[in-house]
Amino acid sequence: MDGDYPTATKPRCGMILLKYERTHSFRCSHCNRDKVSKKIAILQKDPTQLICNACYGSIIAKKEI
C-alpha cells in the first residue's frame, strides 16, 4: 500500500495479519464497513479480500474454540 511495507504474522485460519507503519483506509470484506487501521488481515486464497483486525480476532476466536 503506497510504499508502506508491512510485517506479516504466521498464517492462522487461512488469514495473514499485516502490520503497517501508517494507517490505511479500506472496506472490510467481512463486516462490509469502512475502516482505518495499521493492521489489516488478508485471505491466503484471495489477498484482495481485506479484513479488519476486529473481524480477524472474532474469526480466530470462533475457530480456535
Side-chain angles (χ1 to χ4, degrees):
M1 294 188 146
D2 57 2
D4 186 10
Y5 299 101
T7 56
T9 61
K10 290 183 182 179
R12 292 176 72 186
C13 299
M15 298 177 289
I16 299 171
L17 184 63
L18 304 174
K19 297 176 186 176
Y20 290 91
E21 292 290 322
R22 297 178 296 188
T23 59
H24 294 277
S25 299
F26 64 99
R27 180 172 291 265
C28 177
S29 298
H30 192 263
C31 66
N32 204 33
R33 292 183 178 160
D34 292 326
K35 299 288 185 159
V36 177
S37 180
K38 291 182 179 182
K39 295 181 181 180
I40 303 171
I42 59 170
L43 295 177
Q44 284 183 288
K45 292 180 183 177
D46 185 4
T48 63
Q49 298 293 312
L50 305 178
I51 301 169
C52 70
N53 192 44
C55 288
Y56 171 79
S58 176
I59 293 166
I60 296 293
K62 288 177 186 174
K63 292 195 177 192
E64 290 187 349
I65 291 177

